[in-house]
Amino acid sequence: MESPNSPPDSSSFAIRETATLHKKMASLDPSNSPPNHSFALRDSTAQCFLRSLSTKETSFNGFHCSPPRYSTPSLHTSPLSSPLRAVNPGPANHTISLDASYKCLSSVLKKDGQILSIAISNGIIYTGSDSNLIRIWKLPEFSECGVLKTKASTVVALAVSHERVFAAYGDTKIRGWRTTWDGTLKHIKLATIPRTSGYVRSYISGKDKMMRHMGPITSLAINISDNILYSASVDKTVKVWRISDLKCIENIPAHSEPINAIVVADDGILYTASDDATVRVWRRNFCRGEWPHSLTVTLPAKCSPVKTLTLTADGGVLYGGCTDGYVHYWLKGWLSGQLQYGGALRGHTHAVMCLASVSNYVVSGSADSSCRVWSREHDGQHVCLAVLVGHRGPIRCVTAYLGHSGDEVEDGCTICSGSLDGVLKIWRVNLRVRPASLHKPFCSSFNIAVSFTVRVSASKMALRGVWQLKKLIVSYCDWGGSSRGIRAFMETELPTFKEKNPQLEVVTELIRGQHPHLKGFYKNKNERVVCVKNMTTEDILLHATRLRNALGRKVVKLKTRHVTKHPSVQAMMATLLEHSLVGGQ
């Protein structure tokens, strides 16, 4: 079905995903496969790593039947290329069960060659390929509404902001457009970066290496708050362009190997990934100097080149896809803001070439011709919801958004994936959460006893079903040695404690030069203070839980000595037992 708004001379056709199409799919012959532009320009120095690189993995035979590696409970037994499949990934011991289903909404094949880049902004999707066209698609119907045509070809990277579109081409140049809404969507070309006049002047002065990349560009990123554009290249540098006048204001020698991906957080932090198996974090210093960007920290990626990066919307989790098929992720500390290694998502059998993140979903595309959709739970763990199989070549780019098509009301996301086979696919992943009791035919007496015990103990922690602690103040010192444990508690345990107790107001207080303590305020206007100096994280969590469970009543001192008239039965039994033992000897 041809798009209604596509040009009449585009000679395009669409393919609906059916079971007959999957039966006709054959393995792609490596001898006839087109070259991969994003990996063909790497030098031989990257082969020093022990793990396999994507440049050696040109054979795509048997990808659909090769057994994947799962890091989570399997969704289904085999990655069959069914257009609609229902799965149940939830383990048996969970209190809730996740029912995920997905289907391919549309497959579009244009005579543009390999699809190399994709970007989304304000309900518009831009796709770049081997040709000199950037196709524009309108959501949610996914109809083609225009093209951007230039003399150069091979759109290797795209970056889109609110009113700007930037595209990096195979000629190591960047071209920009400005979007306008005058009844219809229009794009006005701004300029080509670097400008020809500026480059000639820099060449005469010997600063031509500062003004343009000496190798193909691999990634683009826009810092909206600072109004600057970043570009990364295989020449091991990142260049900073001022969007107002499109001039290069800084050249960052970021890595010792080619740079594959860059991403910018909302707070201006720049992340770069390279073939040297590291991810580096850069912070921009607002001062006049030769190097405005300074290196903050270097994150190792387990001796595997990092090919792609993505950030969550809040910047709390950084994901990096590597050539060993793993997706490593780092978590940002709640208080310190430092990145800590969180783990790896295992499942792909070949290099991870693209990543996308939306809400609590993470989508990874790989050279094994499959996409995996991961869900990030509240406890930080990740669950694989679906394995999207249907492409005949490596998946080069992917994006995701929360919108849906039709009458679907389930929670989930819509995914757009582009492959080196030239096919652009739209997927819909639906997720429903329901109690596990709907799946289990019976409950064991042990589970009933445990739930009854928990309810009884919880009733003792509250007065008439109402928690008495209404506010908890965590006081700490940011440099004191006695506050070392409470600082770790605030980064690791306190966020989870706040989520589990929504009825409680938790406030942190900085007290320099004093010992840390917990202070609780109860509904009966009583207060309790617990000193937690030099305590471990587990001990502090225990004291915080005790403050939450307490009723806040004052300890009443008895005026007279309480003496029982009945002797203890246990004492008598112990005495008789001792006498019997002595007599036996």
Side-chain angles (χ1 to χ4, degrees), residues 535-574:
M535 288 189 181
T536 61
T537 304
E538 293 77 10
D539 295 338
I540 298 175
L541 178 61
L542 178 61
H543 283 291
T545 306
R546 288 176 178 175
L547 287 176
R548 181 204 62 182
N549 298 342
L551 299 179
R553 295 174 178 174
K554 293 183 178 181
V555 179
V556 180
K557 183 178 180 181
L558 298 176
K559 295 182 180 180
T560 59
R561 183 180 179 185
H562 182 73
V563 180
T564 179
K565 297 180 180 180
H566 304 283
S568 174
V569 180
Q570 262 189 338
M572 292 178 62
M573 292 179 62

Side-chain angles (χ1 to χ4, degrees), residues 99-120:
D99 288 344
S101 62
Y102 68 89
K103 58 183 177 181
C104 182
L105 301 178
S106 178
S107 296
V108 180
L109 176 61
K110 298 287 185 178
K111 295 184 178 180
D112 297 338
Q114 302 174 345
I115 298 179
L116 303 176
S117 55
I118 190 170
I120 183 173

